[in-house]
Amino acid sequence: MPKRTDIHTILLIGAGPIIIGQACEFDYSGTQACTVLKNEGYRVVLVNSNPATIMTDPTLADCTYIEPITAEFLEKIIQKERPDALLPTVGGQTALNVAMALYTSGCLARYGVEMIGATPAAIEKAENRQKFNEAMKRIGLDVPNHAIVRSLDEAKRALSLIGLPAVVRPSFTLGGSGGGIAETEADFMRIVANGLDLSPTQEVLIDESIVGWKEYEMEVVRDKKDNVVIICSIENVDPMGIHTGDSMTVAPALTLTDKEYQVMRNASIAVLREIGVDTGGSNVQFAVNPATGRLIVIEMNPRVSRSSALASKATGYPIAKIAAKLAVGYTLDEILNDITRITPASFEPTIDYIVTKIPRFTFEKFPLSDSVLSTQMKSVGEAMSIGRSFAESLQKGFRSIEKGFSGLSQVLIEGTDPHQSYEANKPAIQKALKRPSHIRMLEIAQAMRMGCPVEDICEWTHFDPWMLEQMALILHVEKSLTENGIPRTKEAMWDVKKMGFSDARIAELAHTTEETIRHIRFELGIHPVFKKVDTCSAEFACETAYLYSTYEGNPYQVSACEAFPTNRNKVIILGGGPNRIGQGIEFDYACVHAAFSLKEEGIETIMINCNPETVSTDYDTSDKLYFEPLTAEDVIEVVLKEQENGSLLGVIVQFGGQTPLKLVKALQSAHIPILGTSPDKLDLAEDRERFKALLDRLQLTQPQNDICHRVSDLDATIQRLGYPVVIRPSNVLGGQAMAILLKASDLDRYILANRDILLDGPILVDKFLENATEIDVDALCDGTDVFVAGIMEHIEEAGVHSGDSACTLPTISLTPAQLQEVTHTTEMLAKEMGVVGLMNVQYAFQDNKLFIIEVNPRASRTVPFVAKATGNSIAKVAAKVMIGKKIRDFSFNKPRPTHYCVKEVVFPFGRFDNTDILLGPEMKSTGEVMGIDTTFEMAFYKAQESAGNPIPKKGCILVTVHDKDKPRILESVRCLASLGFAIAATKGTAQFLQKNGIEAVSVNKEKEGGDHLVDKILLREYQLVVNTSLGEDTAESFSLRRVALLNRIPYVTTARAFYAVVNAISKLNQDPEQMTTMPLQDWINRV
Amino acid sequence: MLQPFVATPYVDAVLMLSDGTYFLGKGIGKKGTTEGEICFNTGITGYQETLTDPSYFGQIVVFTFPHIGNVGTNSEDNESDKIHCRGIVLRNTITTPSNFRSQLSFDHWLSNQKLVGISGVDTRQLTHHIRIHGPQWAIIVYAQAGECLSLEDVHRSIADKKIELTGDLAQYVTASSPYSWPKKSIQAGSGPAYKLVVIDYGVKHTILNLLAEEGFDITVMPSTVSFSDIMALSPDGVFLSNGPGDPSETGKTAVPVIQHLLDNTIPIFGICLGHQLLALAMGLSTEKMHAGHRGANQPVQEIATGNVFITSQNHGFCVSPKHIPSTVQITYRSLFDQSIEGFCVTNKPAFSVQFHPESSPGPHDTRFLFAAFKTMISTAKKVYA
Ligand SMILES: Nc1ncnc2c1ncn2[C@@H]1O[C@H](COP(=O)(O)OP(=O)(O)O)[C@@H](O)[C@H]1O
Ligand SMILES: Nc1ncnc2c1ncn2[C@@H]1O[C@H](COP(=O)(O)OP(=O)(O)O)[C@@H](O)[C@H]1O
Ligand SMILES: [Mg+2]
Ligand SMILES: [Mg+2]
């Protein structure tokens, strides 16, 4: 059946900011859907608040609304655009939930909008845990013993039925939010309360615990004629009890016989039919009792998901793309398999390799939070690896997650002593392995090294013995490496490489350098071959160049390589690897733009990346995709292969964040050409001494700074600089343990808390610029000319990491002279540093004096934001400049103050217990949103709305601020009072306000007892919590911030953000109708 | 000139194709020599079922999935009483099994069954090769440690062999004498227990089990059974099983019998080789395919409805689309290459499919065909009575 002609305009909803549980995979699915629907001739209206996505590029949809994904804003858009249909299944849980809200409110019916892809009834049946369980019973499938509860009383009763431990699972949430495994009644009540609150339908499921069972996922696609295919089976190596998103997984399932697999396949299909997902992709999760094979259904997600992105990358079958086509009426047999281009999409991919996914965690950012894994997802990203054996795939995976592991690296199991016997270490090992940690796999390997038998490990971890046996095989080779040293024969080297050992890991074990191993390996003529991901295990010829490396064959025969380097001019783009805090989708955006841009220039584009969520790892994005770890070894092998034919112009390292930059030295010593800014100049920015000398020469100012080589020197150094200071150890990644110290006592506490890290190496100390306004600038340079693409002013003052602060473009408080100075300085820096491509500079204005905080000669996090705000595709231009084009060759939109764009960020604090929400110099946010409007205030308002921290229009605010901030918030509070807000404040703040003529009710702090503010927040007495806190005061006010966070009471924690909030409120009060909802394309073209 | 190779701990076996392509590897299962026609199977699960499927008689099976043997073997998943293929080719060495039903490791089972195999082969490259160059004869030779093997000699030993196994292959795998298959206790009200004769060209147990589940009272008869022996049982229907080899060879004895059955309006259902034989009986012809269809992901489309089913397939021959008589209606087509996957006879109660609705291994999408067979018999009883 051909596509539907009765619909013309389709509304597509994105997933919003990157959060834990919803990452780049929805940009991947959304981008595919947009492209497909547009190519089919539909008018596509897209709504997504996340500017860092490819899908929101103005060229993708016909109308792109960067607006809050709330029912209120969507209704406005629907009213304006009058779509015929709404596709809610490619934007994660966010899109699904808002679509349901629009349906329930009658909005869809009012405007005659049909939901395609999944009907409201199907969504309800899948996401409502009770209806889902009933449906499963109807089709004869087992679910865990359970009860559905809607109140704490019901929960108590349920507990007596289910018993402990119990698993709490809210309806309509994602990434396991609000869920957990309760071991005690107190735990149970706490988790249920939270779950009820987080579920949009105030409903949670209480399950009997089946922790330790095997967990599987099936990715299923169905069309409207009821043709169903399974795209991929995924086996979780971590058993039930650990969220699939936090589990290491393999594809395909490896420990099922055909009999069991087919039962699961049938069950998956039955689930889709019963739930009524008519068209599109879904994910069904199962648990299997390892002793009996009993199959239990856990849940189904009636939409594309993180797993479906993984399945798409794992098999080469683009689920979202196909789902979009199915949603508009095609059937599977009418769609071609993109990869083979000769067979239809109505088949089941079969693969001839093993795919491993390893999640990436960021517990170091939240040191006080418990790092144990559970049913609530905590990982921020993931890497995927492909190999022709489990061992190879696994070891590639560990080097892909960029945690400093070169394979199954050694870790220390707490409480063990490697010199002691296994028996002596056993209690400590048992304790460690029973506690699911984010490095459990490595702990298991370590336990094996200490002599722990597989049976014990199975019992403690419930890992399948098959996986453990495979690890034992790896360790067996490892042992021979340790004993025999460097493998010097072809055979020995081959053996090791075939098991997936990296050169780096071999070097570690054989006590030599990675370069030595590589050299020996090259001498022996041992290289990997590249094989294709082709959906069909080579049954058909395949045109698409989607490749992975493997050591294939034996030492005596060279195996076939399918890379077939062309004779064209080519460029290799290095991606950003797994998402993490500080390096996420923004860098993928830049890499994708580089690929698009160079394609336009007729250059062959070759992407290397290992993040399965992204658009960059869509085989459609570049001419060639190598799905490989981003290590020197893996990249060099690809380069060597590509250099066999044609001309490699060079490798682009400045778009993928820190990941590719870290490889520059190794690439350079392998004589691999680097495009753009030269490695020497990249080093200039990183090298403190050289950089300082440059600034001195240019007469530019940095905050005063110094290096301490011993902890004991700190005091004297800081005394010399004078408090306050910014302090950071130089040897840790990602700004970990970076802090602002106000006075001597802060230093003592800081040393106490970070002693271990501080002992590691030099410590950098900067004079802290108080009350300074931070500026972010993105610029383009071709070596001669500079284009300053965007100057952004941070809302929060310097001291809040640029990645964590809100910002506005254009600026709001800088004078023309200041702007001039920033522009001029940027131009000077770019030229002096020989930037070819992109550059980002962070400045701070303190008392009208300009300080340079840092210079990054690479694509920054703000590149997509600037591109969307100005309409200039700076990443694309940068890529062209890197291959020799000149800035003069391009025309740019002039900056126009016709609209304001505000970036706001979102944090994962809710998922990490014991974590403060205060902002500081260490980045903690996972994603960002953008608000656009004609005024700064409304743009800011929208950004807050999008970030899930909506600005209240009336009610009562709680103000409790640090002494320093009291004068700074005064006028803001006065304004709110005049707008009719009630003001509550803690004693000191209240007195201050009263003294200044503002009526404020005084409330007790928690420690003062009685009817105190934490209880009042819990009772939702305040619509906004304003709390600033510094130094030692933070401990005392911690609970109030935490309670506000967990109860989703809007909050602000800086005086400047409060000021912006109040301005937005007052603007809104003047004229509630003044918001402008307009597509990005119109904003950009408005002159 | 091929270099000789000396067995080392890294390689002690060679797989040689008749065109001289060879792969070194490590011997698995029984350490010995074996010859057969090389083919690849793209299924991920179900290696035990595949190897015990009599249709693989005479073949060396290349598994495209690299880890084979993970779940060991058990006594429940056999499709016949022994392994019928001649050899297997794997990418990875066989691992310690892990599955709650596993009774014996795959490697042990292979040794017990005396199957010669080779691991460590770039099965993907080999698959490519087969896809491009088509089916050919192959040999696996195992060498003792330190032994020097002349690859030249190995090649010479098979170079001239085209496909050695010609003639009627079903005769090697069929039942030696008739036997009845245990009845399944079926629910009341599910209709009469029709008498069914299964002509065994190499039938799989799952086919018999599924027929039994439909309530058939089954007698399995050898492939060379005569029309009169069949009719002596006065069956309500005849099932033509799967099996190995060239249908035109087996057809020499089978086709006349089938034609006779058709003439007598005996309801017929055929699968795989049974399908090809029915086609021959209807005057169609069969032909050797380039690479065959072997795997569990094969889409077929039901022509009447447009519905797509994912099927398990295992065939190197197919029914030629040339000269289709008017009494034959094509019912299914492969969506991979448009080849004929099923037909029915318009004036007789007979139909057949090229794919394996019983699956095992593979998807169960088309298991409804067993019930359809039963329905056809009931209808035929009314129509042709
Ligand atoms: N009854 C249970 N016993 C043990 N673990 C469970 C149970 N139910 C779910 N889980 C675990 O919790 C995780 C999250 O549950 P799920 O319902 O899939 O949440 P989400 O919808 O957020 O993905 C699952 O991946 C599984 O590991
Ligand atoms: N001397 C300083 N005074 C005030 N704030 C500073 C100073 N140095 C750094 N910061 C703050 O710390 C944040 C992070 O510092 P930065 O050097 O940019 O680290 P990163 O390399 O992690 O981006 C900056 O965005 C800024 O807000
Ligand atoms: Mg879910
Ligand atoms: Mg889930």
Side-chain angles (χ1 to χ4, degrees):
Chain A
M1 236 160 287
K3 70 177 180 223
R4 289 177 61 171
T5 50
D6 59 330
I7 50 178
H8 307 284
T9 299
I10 299 175
L11 175 64
L12 210 86
I13 306 178
I18 304 296
I19 54 176
I20 289 179
Q22 270 185 186
C24 308
E25 63 269 18
F26 296 109
D27 189 22
Y28 167 61
S29 55
T31 299
Q32 286 201 334
C34 260
T35 311
V36 161
L37 297 178
K38 213 173 148 179
N39 288 345
E40 290 295 339
Y42 296 103
R43 184 170 159 268
V44 178
V45 176
L46 167 71
V47 185
N48 193 357
S49 54
N50 186 346
T53 49
I54 294 294
M55 71 193 295
T56 53
D57 269 352
T59 49
L60 251 89
D62 293 281
C63 289
T64 307
Y65 285 88
I66 301 191
E67 295 284 341
I69 308 174
T70 61
E72 184 196 338
F73 279 89
L74 274 153
E75 177 146 8
K76 283 189 198 171
I77 295 165
I78 290 174
Q79 193 177 18
K80 212 169 140 188
E81 299 289 346
R82 292 310 185 98
D84 304 300
L86 160 62
L87 180 64
T89 52
V90 293
Q93 198 70 38
T94 303
L96 215 54
N97 286 2
V98 80
M100 282 305 273
L102 291 169
Y103 166 75
T104 316
S105 74
C107 168
L108 297 187
R110 250 191 324 278
Y111 294 99
V113 185
E114 178 191 344
M115 250 203 238
I116 56 174
T119 61
I123 297 172
E124 174 70 21
K125 226 175 179 182
E127 293 286 335
N128 177 315
R129 305 268 192 197
Q130 174 160 21
K131 288 192 179 155
F132 181 74
N133 281 349
E134 285 164 3
M136 291 307 98
K137 270 198 208 121
R138 266 198 303 280
I139 52 175
L141 292 174
D142 253 0
V143 293
N145 250 333
H146 67 273
I148 300 280
V149 305
R150 285 181 197 78
S151 69
L152 289 174
D153 280 346
E154 283 178 33
K156 265 214 180 87
R157 254 171 282 142
L159 187 60
S160 59
L161 287 173
I162 307 292
L164 288 169
V167 175
V168 179
R169 301 165 63 203
S171 287
F172 285 95
T173 62
L174 79 146
S177 347
I181 305 174
E183 303 279 350
T184 66
E185 188 167 339
D187 268 2
F188 176 78
M189 295 313 286
R190 183 181 51 77
I191 300 174
V192 171
N194 184 231
L196 284 171
D197 183 42
L198 285 181
S199 163
T201 51
Q202 283 75 51
E203 178 190 80
V204 305
L205 175 71
I206 313 294
D207 262 6
E208 148 205 28
S209 164
I210 49 171
V211 166
W213 286 32
K214 290 156 72 119
E215 185 163 6
Y216 290 92
E217 294 168 79
M218 295 285 264
E219 297 306 318
V220 194
V221 169
R222 181 173 184 229
D223 72 15
K224 65 165 192 253
K225 281 183 65 191
D226 195 25
N227 298 316
V228 195
V229 291
I230 308 290
I231 306 309
C232 189
S233 61
I234 302 175
E235 177 161 348
N236 285 217
V237 178
D238 291 276
M240 283 291 291
I242 297 175
H243 196 277
T244 51
D246 280 359
S247 297
M248 196 185 117
T249 64
V250 290
L254 291 172
T255 61
L256 295 176
T257 65
D258 185 65
K259 299 286 172 287
E260 290 128 36
Y261 175 74
Q262 297 307 336
V263 169
M264 203 179 278
R265 185 182 178 279
N266 292 345
S268 310
I269 295 173
V271 169
L272 253 75
R273 288 192 172 132
E274 172 60 30
I275 297 302
V277 178
D278 292 337
T279 67
S282 294
N283 147 280
V284 192
Q285 290 168 31
F286 294 98
V288 171
N289 183 327
T292 61
R294 185 175 154 214
L295 182 79
I296 278 187
V297 183
I298 298 302
E299 70 151 350
M300 84 98 74
N301 292 304
R303 53 174 171 85
V304 302
S305 61
R306 180 183 45 259
S307 307
S308 67
L310 181 72
S312 301
K313 303 292 166 71
T315 59
Y317 189 105
I319 296 177
K321 197 171 184 173
I322 304 287
K325 288 197 183 182
L326 299 180
V328 294
Y330 285 108
T331 53
L332 281 165
D333 54 306
E334 294 169 336
I335 306 169
L336 268 193
N337 174 348
D338 249 6
I339 291 240
T340 62
R341 300 187 198 146
I342 47 171
T343 53
S346 57
F347 82 119
E348 299 196 343
T350 182
I351 63 183
D352 56 2
Y353 44 80
I354 311 294
V355 173
T356 304
K357 174 210 82 180
I358 304 185
R360 180 174 160 125
F361 296 91
T362 318
F363 286 113
E364 68 279 4
K365 294 264 178 193
F366 310 100
L368 298 179
S369 177
D370 192 359
S371 65
V372 71
L373 305 185
S374 181
T375 62
Q376 187 167 152
M377 188 173 161
K378 289 179 176 161
S379 63
V380 292
E382 61 194 19
M384 180 180 107
S385 56
I386 312 178
R388 289 268 288 158
S389 69
F390 177 78
E392 182 174 64
S393 181
L394 178 75
Q395 298 221 68
K396 276 176 99 175
F398 271 103
R399 61 184 198 260
S400 296
I401 54 167
E402 280 183 67
K403 276 289 201 177
F405 306 128
S406 52
L408 279 184
S409 300
Q410 277 105 324
V411 292
L412 183 73
I413 297 182
E414 215 181 286
T416 59
D417 175 353
H419 305 294
Q420 294 282 315
S421 69
Y422 169 61
E423 284 311 316
N425 283 324
K426 187 172 171 180
I429 294 177
Q430 176 170 3
K431 185 166 167 232
L433 294 194
K434 280 193 143 178
R435 175 183 178 278
S437 84
H438 61 289
I439 49 163
R440 185 144 78 158
M441 201 76 181
L442 298 178
E443 290 174 336
I444 289 174
Q446 198 64 28
M448 287 180 170
R449 286 185 192 101
M450 290 193 276
C452 188
V454 165
E455 302 77 64
D456 283 356
I457 299 176
C458 278
E459 189 191 321
W460 300 332
T461 62
H462 301 287
F463 273 36
D464 193 282
W466 194 85
M467 316 290 167
L468 298 177
E469 290 288 346
Q470 293 288 313
M471 289 173 66
L473 291 177
I474 296 174
L475 294 178
H476 182 74
V477 176
E478 173 180 310
K479 198 157 166 238
S480 82
L481 268 172
T482 322
E483 285 165 4
N484 305 330
I486 301 173
R488 292 198 181 272
T489 64
K490 219 172 174 176
E491 287 83 356
M493 184 64 92
W494 198 265
D495 239 18
V496 175
K497 292 309 281 182
K498 220 171 165 171
M499 289 297 279
F501 283 83
S502 61
D503 292 348
R505 180 79 187 133
I506 300 172
E508 272 165 35
L509 294 164
H511 304 292
T512 178
T513 64
E514 179 178 348
E515 289 69 29
T516 310
I517 297 295
R518 188 134 57 243
H519 182 75
I520 295 171
R521 180 163 65 79
F522 283 12
E523 295 274 284
L524 294 170
I526 294 176
H527 293 277
V529 291
F530 295 91
K531 299 281 186 189
K532 276 182 182 170
V533 169
D534 65 0
T535 73
C536 63
S537 294
E539 183 172 3
F540 302 100
C542 152
E543 298 300 324
T544 308
Y546 172 9
L547 299 143
Y548 65 95
S549 72
T550 178
Y551 284 83
E552 189 52 83
N554 58 63
Y556 316 108
Q557 281 180 295
V558 180
S559 271
C561 180
E562 301 171 30
F564 307 116
T566 65
N567 60 3
R568 297 174 60 188
N569 285 339
K570 49 186 101 172
V571 165
I572 293 178
I573 302 158
L574 302 186
N579 268 20
R580 68 208 75 170
I581 289 176
Q583 185 172 311
I585 190 167
E586 301 84 358
F587 297 95
D588 200 66
Y589 166 95
C591 292
V592 169
H593 273 251
F596 289 167
S597 163
L598 297 180
K599 237 185 218 181
E600 288 168 7
E601 297 301 312
I603 288 172
E604 182 176 54
T605 55
I606 299 166
M607 184 74 67
I608 309 181
N609 199 4
C610 57
N611 182 346
E613 300 166 350
T614 58
V615 178
S616 68
T617 53
D618 184 341
Y619 55 79
D620 272 350
T621 296
S622 310
D623 294 310
K624 264 182 152 171
L625 167 65
Y626 286 88
F627 208 104
E628 288 287 285
L630 287 156
T631 68
E633 172 183 352
D634 298 286
V635 170
I636 288 171
E637 291 294 351
V638 172
V639 170
L640 291 180
K641 175 53 68 182
E642 286 297 335
Q643 282 178 330
E644 284 177 9
N645 195 7
S647 165
L648 176 69
L649 304 183
V651 178
I652 294 187
V653 295
Q654 56 167 263
F655 284 172
Q658 283 301 329
T659 300
L661 285 174
K662 278 190 309 209
L663 302 179
V664 165
K665 282 217 172 70
L667 298 183
Q668 218 189 350
S669 52
H671 309 293
I672 293 168
I674 308 278
L675 284 184
T677 312
S678 73
D680 175 60
K681 294 293 161 57
L682 293 172
D683 180 69
L684 169 61
E686 292 287 319
D687 185 310
R688 276 175 82 82
E689 293 309 314
R690 286 182 71 191
F691 187 61
K692 207 171 189 169
L694 172 80
L695 292 188
D696 287 347
R697 190 159 57 75
L698 300 178
Q699 296 185 322
L700 296 172
T701 323
Q702 261 182 317
Q704 265 184 293
N705 58 73
D706 214 334
I707 296 190
C708 291
H709 293 276
R710 282 196 309 260
V711 175
S712 53
D713 295 344
L714 277 173
D715 194 38
T717 307
I718 298 177
Q719 290 300 338
R720 195 168 56 254
L721 291 172
Y723 281 100
V725 293
V726 183
I727 183 167
R728 66 183 115 179
S730 63
N731 281 1
V732 298
L733 297 168
Q736 196 194 335
M738 185 168 175
I740 295 163
L741 309 180
L742 301 175
K743 50 183 186 296
S745 62
D746 288 350
L747 176 63
D748 299 339
R749 279 189 302 127
Y750 178 79
I751 294 177
L752 208 62
N754 297 293
R755 178 157 284 281
D756 291 346
I757 302 175
L758 294 177
L759 290 176
D760 256 12
I763 305 153
L764 313 179
V765 186
D766 281 18
K767 175 85 189 158
F768 175 61
L769 304 170
E770 273 184 290
N771 272 330
T773 301
E774 193 165 340
I775 311 289
D776 239 288
V777 181
D778 282 309
L780 272 167
C781 181
D782 57 13
T784 339
D785 288 331
V786 183
F787 172 65
V788 174
I791 302 178
M792 292 150 272
E793 176 176 347
H794 289 201
I795 306 299
E796 289 81 5
E797 59 200 45
V800 173
H801 193 281
S802 55
D804 279 0
S805 49
C807 72
T808 170
L809 193 166
T811 59
I812 41 171
S813 77
L814 297 195
T815 62
Q818 284 176 321
L819 283 171
Q820 188 64 46
E821 188 181 358
V822 167
T823 306
H824 177 70
T825 311
T826 305
E827 285 168 353
M828 191 156 71
L829 279 168
K831 284 186 207 163
E832 285 294 328
M833 293 185 60
V835 169
V836 179
L838 283 162
M839 176 180 81
N840 167 269
V841 192
Q842 281 157 40
Y843 298 101
F845 268 114
Q846 188 189 38
D847 305 328
N848 200 25
K849 183 163 174 45
L850 184 66
F851 289 87
I852 292 169
I853 299 205
E854 70 168 347
V855 179
N856 293 308
R858 57 169 168 88
S860 73
R861 207 172 291 116
T862 41
V863 161
F865 173 74
V866 170
K868 279 175 196 158
T870 64
N872 292 321
S873 277
I874 52 175
K876 273 188 158 179
V877 175
K880 292 185 173 150
V881 163
M882 287 160 78
I883 55 156
K885 292 236 162 175
K886 293 290 162 202
I887 287 186
R888 266 180 256 116
D889 304 338
F890 301 92
S891 64
F892 296 99
N893 292 330
K894 293 275 163 325
R896 313 178 209 96
T898 55
H899 65 281
Y900 283 81
C901 295
V902 172
K903 181 199 88 172
E904 184 52 284
V905 299
V906 295
F907 294 95
F909 294 134
R911 290 191 181 253
F912 296 95
D913 54 359
N914 256 319
T915 295
D916 206 332
I917 62 174
L918 287 177
L919 306 178
E922 184 180 343
M923 183 171 166
K924 300 202 162 142
S925 61
T926 54
E928 72 204 61
V929 294
M930 169 163 150
I932 316 180
D933 215 312
T934 46
T935 61
F936 164 72
E937 290 81 1
M938 288 304 98
F940 182 79
Y941 175 87
K942 286 178 175 177
Q944 298 304 309
E945 190 83 7
S946 289
N949 195 25
I951 292 177
K953 288 166 203 147
K954 55 177 189 292
C956 180
I957 67 165
L958 172 69
V959 191
T960 170
V961 299
H962 191 267
D963 283 345
K964 277 193 174 169
D965 284 328
K966 285 185 176 128
R968 301 169 70 199
I969 54 126
L970 185 63
E971 289 319 307
S972 301
V973 179
R974 195 189 304 285
C975 175
L976 283 188
S978 75
L979 291 172
F981 276 82
I983 314 289
T986 48
K987 209 188 297 150
T989 311
Q991 276 168 4
F992 175 81
L993 292 173
Q994 284 153 1
K995 216 167 55 214
N996 285 283
I998 301 170
E999 226 175 281
V1001 188
S1002 176
V1003 289
N1004 284 354
K1005 290 183 176 173
E1006 195 177 17
K1007 66 169 182 198
E1008 293 163 354
D1011 201 3
H1012 61 75
L1013 83 184
V1014 172
D1015 284 342
K1016 285 170 177 285
I1017 296 173
L1018 264 172
L1019 292 171
R1020 299 183 178 277
E1021 287 190 14
Y1022 310 117
Q1023 280 62 52
L1024 179 69
V1025 171
V1026 182
N1027 169 237
T1028 70
S1029 189
L1030 277 175
E1032 63 244 35
D1033 295 351
T1034 56
E1036 187 195 331
S1037 47
F1038 174 75
S1039 59
L1040 89 88
R1041 288 188 295 276
R1042 202 61 206 169
V1043 168
L1045 169 81
L1046 291 179
N1047 291 281
R1048 285 172 296 139
I1049 308 297
Y1051 63 81
V1052 285
T1053 59
T1054 66
R1056 292 205 190 179
F1058 181 46
Y1059 177 76
V1061 165
V1062 171
N1063 281 343
I1065 295 175
S1066 91
K1067 195 93 173 179
L1068 217 63
N1069 258 276
Q1070 288 162 20
D1071 176 9
E1073 294 303 315
Q1074 66 172 305
M1075 257 181 283
T1076 314
T1077 308
M1078 194 156 84
L1080 185 62
Q1081 289 83 354
D1082 292 357
W1083 286 118
I1084 290 175
N1085 295 327
R1086 213 162 75 128
V1087 188
Chain B
M1 185 67 194
L2 297 174
Q3 297 296 313
F5 105 92
V6 181
T8 71
Y10 299 92
V11 288
D12 60 10
V14 62
L15 165 74
M16 175 73 70
L17 307 188
S18 60
D19 66 6
T21 307
Y22 70 95
F23 296 84
L24 302 178
K26 281 191 70 108
I28 48 169
K30 183 183 158 209
K31 311 268 165 99
T33 299
T34 189
E35 288 184 29
E37 184 188 337
I38 196 127
C39 67
F40 63 84
N41 183 302
T42 63
I44 291 173
T45 54
Y47 51 85
Q48 186 182 347
E49 291 88 331
T50 297
L51 294 181
T52 51
D53 177 348
S55 302
Y56 282 97
F57 176 81
Q59 289 178 314
I60 293 178
V61 185
V62 181
F63 285 95
T64 61
F65 189 63
H67 276 295
I68 295 292
N70 315 354
V71 288
T73 58
N74 61 53
S75 56
E76 297 162 358
D77 293 350
N78 291 331
E79 283 301 327
S80 70
D81 54 6
K82 62 171 201 258
I83 289 182
H84 290 276
C85 71
R86 289 275 188 87
I88 57 167
V89 183
L90 306 183
R91 161 56 161 82
N92 289 316
T93 43
I94 296 167
T95 54
T96 314
S98 164
N99 184 271
F100 68 103
R101 291 194 302 135
S102 172
Q103 293 160 338
L104 190 65
S105 87
F106 184 53
D107 202 22
H108 270 124
W109 184 72
L110 292 178
S111 304
N112 289 355
Q113 296 266 340
K114 305 203 174 32
L115 188 73
V116 176
I118 180 170
S119 73
V121 169
D122 182 350
T123 46
R124 184 170 167 86
Q125 181 179 356
L126 176 56
T127 302
H128 262 283
H129 191 84
I130 301 170
R131 184 188 78 228
I132 292 163
H133 301 282
Q136 54 184 307
W137 201 246
I139 184 169
I140 299 173
V141 179
Y142 173 71
Q144 300 293 332
E147 187 186 336
C148 178
L149 211 60
S150 158
L151 292 179
E152 204 59 38
D153 289 349
V154 173
H155 182 218
R156 210 165 303 125
S157 74
I158 59 160
D160 301 331
K161 291 190 184 161
K162 288 275 178 278
I163 303 298
E164 181 211 50
L165 281 175
T166 48
D168 169 26
L169 301 191
Q171 59 175 313
Y172 304 110
V173 295
T174 185
S176 47
S177 53
Y179 62 93
S180 57
W181 189 254
K183 279 193 199 135
K184 287 263 153 75
S185 54
I186 55 162
Q187 293 148 338
S190 63
Y194 290 125
K195 263 202 211 131
L196 181 70
V197 165
V198 170
I199 308 185
D200 175 17
Y201 305 108
V203 72
K204 288 167 68 184
H205 286 177
T206 301
I207 291 181
L208 297 172
N209 283 332
L210 291 176
L211 289 169
E213 268 170 31
E214 291 302 328
F216 285 110
D217 175 1
I218 300 168
T219 307
V220 182
M221 307 197 86
S223 62
T224 49
V225 65
S226 68
F227 174 68
S228 54
D229 284 351
I230 295 172
M231 293 313 281
L233 293 175
S234 51
D236 300 297
V238 169
F239 176 82
L240 310 176
S241 88
N242 62 299
D246 184 343
S248 64
E249 294 289 345
T250 305
K252 284 176 187 157
T253 48
V255 164
V257 178
I258 298 169
Q259 279 168 341
H260 226 135
L261 291 169
L262 284 168
D263 292 344
N264 286 273
T265 323
I266 303 292
I268 296 176
F269 175 24
I271 289 179
C272 198
L273 181 65
H275 155 79
Q276 295 159 356
L277 293 172
L278 182 65
L280 292 174
M282 288 302 299
L284 288 110
S285 57
T286 56
E287 58 199 23
K288 179 110 180 152
M289 300 167 81
H290 186 63
H293 289 166
R294 289 177 190 87
N297 70 336
Q298 307 264 332
V300 300
Q301 186 157 40
E302 184 178 29
I303 289 165
T305 59
N307 289 337
V308 180
F309 301 103
I310 304 301
T311 66
S312 188
Q313 298 197 17
N314 163 29
H315 59 112
F317 288 84
C318 66
V319 173
S320 162
K322 284 175 231 142
H323 314 301
I324 298 173
S326 61
T327 49
V328 163
Q329 191 183 344
I330 306 302
T331 51
Y332 292 94
R333 268 187 196 286
S334 164
L335 288 179
F336 274 165
D337 60 8
Q338 300 302 315
S339 61
I340 295 171
E341 288 287 349
F343 68 87
C344 64
V345 182
T346 51
N347 57 351
K348 297 282 175 188
F351 73 97
S352 63
V353 288
Q354 179 62 70
F355 52 85
H356 285 263
E358 81 286 3
S359 58
S360 196
H364 297 179
D365 290 11
T366 48
R367 286 197 165 176
F368 60 83
L369 287 174
F370 293 93
F373 181 35
K374 189 169 167 186
T375 310
M376 183 181 77
I377 295 176
S378 310
T379 316
K381 289 212 177 288
K382 288 175 208 137
V383 176
Y384 299 98

